[in-house]
Amino acid sequence: MNSCKNKCISFVIPVKDEQDTLNELALSIIHEVQNMEGLYAPEIIFVDDGSKDNSWEIMKNLSTTYKDKVFAIKLRKNFGKATALEIGFSRASGEIVFTMDADLQDDPSEISRFLAELEQGFDMVSGWKRRRNDPFSKTIPSLLFNKVTSFATGIPLHDFNCGFKAYRKEVIEAIKLYGELHRYIPVLAHDYGFRVSEIEVKHHPRKHGISKYGINRYLRGLVDLFTVLATTRWLRKPGHLFGGVGIVSGIIGTGILMYLTVLWFIGLGPIGVRPLFFLGILLCILSVQMISLGIIAEFFIKTSSAIETRKFISEETIGNKETKI
């Protein structure tokens, strides 16, 4: 894939059975970018995530017609949106990278507004479909999902799941996507210290095809929410997570056993046959196990290179000072 020159803007667009929208979407993006002030160059990266219709042939034709502007990547099967985005991110050449859905519900005319928001000093800008043109079967679960996610993560965004986003290149280089984690990119970016903003965007009714997502995606997303909370809050200090659970478990278990001991001393019957007795013992054992697991996890964190964040922790360096680690 050819690299863009100065002021290149990359667009990573996952595609799953959207043969009726691709031509119009590509033309709209190219027209919008080429007519903006600043001499920007568009780079559109379509990622075919296991389409069964004619989407791939259309992508190939677009790539031939708009050489050096449109590129197409075909995955071997449907791996999911997070994987498609990760593959697209790895091929993006622009210093600014957009993600969009391929169904024409996102409006390319909003691109300049995202760029203006990035110019205000933000590293990532997420779209907010405030007036959403979808059925209640999608809008209500999405509203609940966004409320729960915002409350749990402490990030005041209204629409975590909006596919229309803009990033500086260093943001997508820092995060790694899998599963359903594409919904939590703002959370992952915020965890690295990147500045995240949100703007209200237009949302058009779907004109072609059908939605590829059902209610089960929110159930999977809820599971991934726990994963994100654990990795963003505790990844660099797992001893606090496991040790905290272990201490609470130990306090409760010890309290139960002390209570039963008092009952035994004052003659209120045997305690060895009471379920509460076994609960107290199990909680104490759990406490020892969790604290031990926390200590072991801390050893791994201190010696492992799996968490390589040094490149993204520093925001700015002045002077030519080499740092040796």
Side-chain angles (χ1 to χ4, degrees):
M1 182 177 296
N2 295 330
S3 298
C4 287
K5 297 180 180 180
N6 293 337
K7 294 189 177 182
C8 172
I9 307 176
S10 297
F11 295 84
V12 176
I13 305 175
V15 179
K16 179 69 169 70
D17 299 329
E18 298 287 0
Q19 63 180 15
D20 297 319
T21 65
L22 297 178
N23 282 306
E24 182 178 346
L25 178 61
L27 288 172
S28 297
I29 293 174
I30 292 172
H31 179 269
E32 185 67 30
V33 174
Q34 289 183 337
N35 283 278
M36 289 192 308
E37 295 182 1
L39 300 178
Y40 292 102
E43 174 191 69
I44 303 173
I45 304 172
F46 287 117
V47 183
D48 186 354
D49 188 23
S51 295
K52 297 185 182 301
D53 62 2
N54 202 37
S55 294
W56 176 243
E57 294 302 320
I58 295 173
M59 291 181 214
K60 290 197 297 183
N61 291 336
L62 285 169
S63 181
T64 301
T65 304
Y66 299 99
K67 190 176 181 180
D68 297 331
K69 289 186 177 66
V70 178
F71 305 90
I73 303 170
K74 183 178 179 63
L75 305 187
R76 294 184 182 275
K77 66 172 188 177
N78 176 229
F79 286 96
K81 189 173 183 177
T83 300
L85 287 174
E86 181 72 11
I87 296 296
F89 287 161
S90 68
R91 309 295 179 87
S93 303
E95 290 302 314
I96 302 296
V97 180
F98 279 80
T99 58
M100 298 178 67
D101 292 334
D103 53 15
L104 290 178
Q105 291 190 271
D106 296 329
D107 194 329
S109 67
E110 304 277 12
I111 293 172
S112 58
R113 295 183 58 236
F114 278 91
L115 293 175
E117 189 73 3
L118 287 173
E119 289 296 322
Q120 298 300 313
F122 294 102
D123 303 298
M124 172 185 172
V125 182
S126 182
W128 173 20
K129 297 172 289 189
R130 186 171 188 175
R131 295 173 179 84
R132 185 170 178 174
N133 288 287
D134 282 323
F136 285 110
S137 60
K138 291 184 66 175
T139 56
I140 299 302
S142 180
L143 178 63
L144 294 175
F145 170 82
N146 286 310
K147 292 288 186 183
V148 170
T149 303
S150 180
F151 175 78
T153 61
I155 300 176
L157 296 186
H158 299 87
D159 194 351
F160 288 85
N161 199 38
C162 179
F164 203 175
K165 293 181 172 68
Y167 316 79
R168 296 190 186 278
K169 186 69 176 289
E170 52 266 32
V171 177
I172 64 172
E173 290 177 339
I175 59 179
K176 301 300 177 184
L177 300 179
Y178 58 89
E180 300 286 327
L181 292 187
H182 59 279
R183 311 181 193 285
Y184 303 105
I185 293 179
V187 182
L188 300 173
H190 183 269
D191 181 57
Y192 277 105
F194 293 115
R195 291 173 286 270
V196 180
S197 180
E198 183 180 56
I199 63 172
E200 186 177 338
V201 295
K202 302 173 187 175
H203 188 246
H204 299 294
R206 175 183 276 272
K207 296 189 293 185
H208 305 282
I210 60 174
S211 174
K212 312 303 185 298
Y213 303 102
I215 189 66
N216 59 331
R217 69 170 179 161
Y218 294 106
L219 299 179
R220 297 194 301 267
L222 182 61
V223 174
D224 281 321
L225 176 58
F226 293 113
T227 301
V228 168
L229 290 175
T231 55
T232 56
R233 294 186 180 182
W234 310 108
L235 181 62
R236 301 174 189 87
K237 45 184 179 181
H240 292 189
L241 173 61
F242 295 113
V245 174
I247 290 174
V248 172
S249 175
I251 291 174
I252 296 175
T254 302
I256 290 173
L257 294 179
M258 291 180 62
Y259 165 72
L260 293 176
T261 301
V262 171
L263 294 183
W264 184 77
F265 270 114
I266 62 178
L268 293 181
I271 62 173
V273 295
R274 299 191 181 198
L276 196 60
F277 177 70
F278 295 103
L279 176 61
I281 292 176
L282 288 174
L283 287 174
C284 288
I285 294 174
L286 176 64
S287 174
V288 174
Q289 290 178 330
M290 295 300 287
I291 292 175
S292 300
L293 182 60
I295 294 173
I296 293 172
E298 288 288 344
F299 283 138
F300 274 106
I301 291 298
K302 299 301 181 184
T303 59
S304 174
S305 60
I307 305 175
E308 185 56 62
T309 60
R310 297 167 186 155
K311 180 178 177 181
F312 309 106
I313 289 176
S314 299
E315 178 180 359
E316 186 177 358
T317 301
I318 299 176
N320 188 24
K321 177 66 175 177
E322 180 181 357
T323 301
K324 296 182 179 181
I325 300 177

